[in-house]
Amino acid sequence: MKPAPESSLENKEIKRDGYRQFIDSVTGLISSGTPASHSGIIQKITEFESANKFLSQKEYKTENDALYSAVKEKIILPMLNQGQINLSAVILADSVWRSGYRLPKSPSDEPLLKKISNDFDSVKEQSKGYIKYNIALALFIAEAFKGDGKDAKTAFLKRITSLPLAMMKADELKNIGNITKKILDKDFVTDFYISTVFKGSFWNKDLFAQKTCLIWLVPMFWNSFGIEQEFKKVYPSLLAIFTKAIKKNSPELVFTLHYYLSHIHLNLSHSMDEFRQFNEDVEKPLSEYISETLVKEYGIKPCEKKTNTERKKIGFVYDRIVANSPTKLLYSYLEILIRENPQNEYYLYDIEYVEKSDSNPAFVEKFIKLGVKYVSAHKLSDSEYAGSYYEHFKKTLKLREKIIEDQIDELIMCNNREQFSFLFASRTAPVQTYWCHGNFEYNVRGIDRRIAHFFYKHPGNYEYEIFLLRQSSSLMLENFDGFRTAASAIRFSYGADTVVFGTIGRYVKLEGEGFLESIAEILRLVPNSVYIACGAGGTDNILKKVRALGIENRVKLLGWVETRIFVHVIDIYLATF
């Protein structure tokens, strides 16, 4: 083995001296400071470690022990004993955990862990989930600083995924999302769900606990990290649970699981082949389960009403009423139908899919003013106070009863929802129509008619009636002058001579094969240009590819925007594929 060069040894000694000087400085600050200054001291240590990575280097064990033992004894343990935590301490604990460094053990480690663990177990009220979340963070800090905390993060995830997340407030959920992204990795969370939740103790939990594990998926995967392809890894495990739930005849769990399966798979799908696969994996088995088991077991009779050809009642079932594209298209379509066929009655059945978001009362009011009869499915089943823990199956049964009571002649549904599959398969109206918003492969029992509002060269087996639909001018012209003024200021920031290419939509569409390569080629051909992507979703994979293509300085990922502003900012719109 060759001896290390003298210059290398000299550099190490220089680094060691610098580290010791830093330790002296920090220990001096700890001795002279007050608890109020501790957060700043911890942040200073975290930044220093981030720049130097001393914790992972065994040759600095003496220095690491000196610094982190002092921090542990003088700051961390007193803070935890007083029932306090701060974000700086959480991030420092994460640095310790990630490095694999093990601190010298302290006699107070075990008593403190026992005390905090008892505090966690003693909070029983479901409404105090955020308090328990913070206690779980305290336990993570204590375990990371204990000296053998390699399982600290797995234990942290086990604890928090048992908490009733749906009972927490919006600002609390936002804090959880921020902390999650700082101390957890996508791969770690994904592997945890696969190995510990879905292939571990899931079937030993009661229904409430099972729902709790599932409810955490969205804030963990979507709200913290955005929509990323890596999350498809959990799909097979979720699908296995879904299949088993059907075999066990657990309709509430089956209906609950459908949302998470569709949210993960369909939001990350690019092609009709992927949609077709989802239909085979999920929609077809669910439709069969409804028709062959639930309809018989619950004595559900098919609708026997004859269609009224002179004065029809047309009902639309939507997952939620918010200011998104599908809802605006529904409003636009109803505006035309009411104008052209005023003799008919129009109903809007709002599932109020709270797993995604609450419906927007202001937009609901627009439909009511249009003359549409509005029905909240949430209120039919007393679900509005249960958050995401409402009874999916019971709510669907109540919705079906209401639609039949209203004597609907034609029922129109769009997108993939477990409620739609049930309403189709159980024959809820004389005519049942699927309105395609992109998934031309959706095929369940009970569909009589298929419609789509745009042309698409679809190679599949289903015939669609095509009608062209543009967004209502009443929606487009709302605050038109204000939007144009805002757009002018944004457009000016790019420069008058710059060509602004752009897209508006989910970021996952940018990951379609060859799309970003095409953007790179366009930017190469038009030197004085930029590309702006407006929408929602994960950006990690996109940014990696953008950097690899060498266009990171000319591509802007703006996130969610007001569409009515950015249609005036973008010079040339580029369709995704």
Side-chain angles (χ1 to χ4, degrees):
M1 183 176 177
K2 291 183 180 180
E6 285 189 28
S7 59
S8 175
L9 293 172
E10 287 174 8
N11 287 337
K12 283 190 176 182
E13 285 308 310
I14 291 170
K15 285 182 73 174
R16 194 182 303 278
D17 287 343
Y19 193 7
R20 288 172 177 170
Q21 289 174 22
F22 177 78
I23 293 169
D24 291 341
S25 164
V26 167
T27 51
L29 287 172
I30 293 172
S31 300
S32 61
T34 62
S37 67
H38 287 170
S39 179
I41 294 170
I42 293 173
Q43 187 172 347
K44 187 174 182 178
I45 296 169
T46 303
E47 290 170 356
F48 182 83
E49 167 58 22
S50 178
N52 295 280
K53 310 294 184 196
F54 283 125
L55 279 172
S56 59
Q57 300 179 55
K58 292 181 180 179
E59 61 263 41
Y60 295 102
K61 184 179 184 330
T62 301
E63 288 77 14
N64 288 333
D65 287 352
L67 175 60
Y68 289 92
S69 293
V71 171
K72 176 180 175 179
E73 296 298 330
K74 301 293 185 181
I75 296 181
I76 300 297
L77 295 183
M79 176 182 70
L80 295 178
N81 269 309
Q82 292 170 22
Q84 299 173 352
I85 60 167
N86 58 53
L87 183 57
S88 297
V90 174
I91 294 172
L92 184 60
D94 181 56
S95 296
V96 171
W97 182 87
R98 286 176 188 271
S99 70
Y101 166 67
R102 300 291 173 250
L103 280 88
K105 292 190 176 183
S106 165
S108 56
D109 285 338
E110 291 301 334
L112 177 62
L113 275 169
K114 188 173 182 181
K115 174 185 177 297
I116 303 173
S117 184
N118 287 338
D119 289 344
F120 183 86
D121 293 337
S122 68
V123 179
K124 304 294 185 185
E125 298 94 326
Q126 292 179 4
S127 60
K128 294 185 177 179
Y130 191 62
I131 292 174
K132 291 195 78 166
Y133 175 80
N134 281 287
I135 298 173
L137 281 175
L139 274 166
F140 169 66
I141 295 169
E143 287 171 344
F145 274 90
K146 179 185 171 185
D148 58 354
K150 65 183 177 67
D151 297 324
K153 202 162 284 191
T154 299
F156 170 69
L157 277 173
K158 281 183 180 178
R159 292 183 187 107
I160 67 170
T161 52
S162 71
L163 303 179
L165 183 75
M167 306 295 181
M168 298 184 196
K169 298 174 184 174
D171 58 334
E172 294 171 345
L173 293 174
K174 186 176 180 181
N175 288 339
I176 288 172
N178 290 337
I179 292 172
T180 297
K181 192 159 187 179
K182 288 181 186 297
I183 68 170
L184 296 172
D185 300 316
K186 288 178 292 186
D187 288 339
F188 188 88
V189 174
T190 303
D191 291 342
F192 167 79
Y193 259 94
I194 292 170
S195 62
T196 305
V197 177
F198 296 146
K199 290 184 180 176
S201 57
F202 186 84
W203 290 106
N204 297 328
K205 302 177 187 293
D206 61 23
L207 182 61
F208 186 91
Q210 288 172 337
K211 283 189 173 185
T212 297
C213 291
L214 294 169
I215 289 168
W216 270 94
L217 276 169
V218 173
M220 281 287 186
F221 288 173
W222 264 252
N223 301 354
S224 298
F225 299 109
I227 305 169
E228 297 284 12
Q229 289 292 336
E230 289 89 335
F231 299 142
K232 263 195 175 179
K233 291 178 185 175
V234 305
Y235 176 76
S237 299
L238 266 179
L239 182 60
I241 293 173
F242 176 78
T243 303
K244 187 172 180 178
I246 288 177
K247 288 179 179 177
K248 289 170 72 72
N249 191 17
S250 304
E252 180 58 26
L253 182 57
V254 170
F255 276 51
T256 301
L257 281 161
H258 185 280
Y259 165 67
Y260 297 98
L261 282 162
S262 63
H263 200 60
I264 288 172
H265 192 281
L266 298 180
N267 273 308
L268 295 171
S269 294
H270 296 289
S271 68
M272 290 302 149
D273 286 341
E274 290 172 302
F275 288 142
R276 188 183 302 116
Q277 187 60 54
F278 185 82
N279 201 82
E280 289 297 313
D281 289 345
V282 178
E283 300 298 359
K284 190 175 177 181
L286 175 59
S287 189
E288 290 173 356
Y289 172 58
I290 293 165
S291 299
E292 297 171 13
T293 302
L294 297 182
V295 164
K296 296 173 184 176
E297 187 172 320
Y298 287 85
I300 298 168
K301 303 296 183 186
C303 168
E304 296 178 348
K305 179 186 183 299
K306 302 298 181 184
T307 304
N308 185 339
T309 55
E310 294 182 2
R311 182 180 173 85
K312 291 173 67 176
K313 290 185 175 182
I314 300 174
F316 291 83
V317 187
Y318 253 55
D319 61 356
R320 57 190 176 134
I321 303 302
V322 293
N324 62 4
S325 177
T327 303
K328 290 175 181 177
L329 285 170
L330 172 63
Y331 181 89
S332 306
Y333 190 26
L334 277 164
E335 200 174 50
I336 294 169
L337 290 174
I338 290 169
R339 183 173 65 246
E340 294 182 352
N341 300 284
Q343 76 280 6
N344 293 335
E345 293 181 54
Y346 300 92
Y347 291 73
L348 174 55
Y349 298 96
D350 181 6
I351 293 173
E352 292 195 76
Y353 222 63
V354 295
E355 292 93 332
K356 298 185 78 172
S357 71
D358 293 334
S359 286
N360 183 331
F363 223 99
V364 168
E365 189 61 30
K366 287 181 183 293
F367 285 96
I368 295 171
K369 286 181 178 178
L370 200 59
V372 176
K373 294 178 175 63
Y374 173 81
V375 177
S376 163
H378 230 39
K379 291 182 173 62
L380 294 175
S381 60
D382 300 322
S383 298
E384 57 184 320
Y385 305 112
S388 296
Y389 290 94
Y390 70 86
E391 294 179 77
H392 292 68
F393 183 57
K394 178 182 176 182
K395 178 178 173 180
T396 306
L397 287 172
K398 291 288 185 182
L399 174 59
R400 185 180 186 275
E401 288 173 10
K402 175 61 177 169
I403 293 169
I404 289 177
E405 177 189 310
D406 289 339
Q407 294 283 293
I408 296 300
D409 293 293
E410 181 175 4
L411 194 62
I412 302 174
M413 295 171 273
C414 70
N415 295 329
N416 299 62
R417 294 287 173 259
E418 64 275 13
Q419 294 90 347
F420 301 164
S421 293
F422 183 83
L423 296 173
F424 276 128
S426 62
R427 180 53 65 182
T428 307
V431 179
Q432 301 184 150
T433 300
Y434 168 57
W435 180 6
C436 175
H437 280 245
N439 182 0
F440 285 88
E441 290 295 337
Y442 180 65
N443 184 39
V444 298
R445 298 182 182 188
I447 296 177
D448 303 313
R449 189 173 163 244
R450 290 177 168 84
I451 61 175
H453 57 278
F454 57 95
F455 286 111
Y456 179 76
K457 191 175 181 180
H458 177 58
N461 300 314
Y462 316 117
E463 293 295 326
Y464 282 84
E465 300 171 31
I466 305 297
F467 65 100
L468 298 182
L469 180 65
R470 61 185 299 176
Q471 197 173 123
S472 167
S473 59
S474 65
L475 297 176
M476 291 297 292
L477 293 175
E478 281 181 339
N479 192 27
F480 182 80
D481 292 337
F483 290 141
R484 282 295 295 269
T485 300
S488 296
I490 296 169
R491 182 63 186 83
F492 180 79
S493 69
Y494 289 106
D497 296 329
T498 302
V499 178
V500 179
F501 296 101
T503 52
I504 301 174
R506 292 180 297 130
Y507 279 164
V508 68
K509 295 182 179 181
L510 308 186
E511 297 184 60
E513 186 177 351
F515 181 75
L516 288 172
E517 287 82 355
S518 298
I519 296 296
E521 181 63 12
I522 290 169
L523 295 177
R524 184 187 69 79
L525 293 170
V526 187
N528 195 22
S529 64
V530 295
Y531 167 68
I532 61 175
C534 311
T539 60
D540 291 355
N541 295 329
I542 296 168
L543 287 171
K544 284 178 190 174
K545 199 163 190 179
V546 163
R547 293 187 193 105
L549 292 166
I551 55 175
E552 64 270 26
N553 294 327
R554 298 173 64 189
V555 172
K556 315 293 180 187
L557 303 181
L558 302 183
W560 185 91
V561 300
E562 171 53 67
T563 303
R564 289 170 291 182
I565 292 176
F566 275 81
V567 292
H568 301 295
V569 174
I570 296 169
D571 297 318
I572 301 175
Y573 190 89
L574 303 174
T576 53
F577 52 87

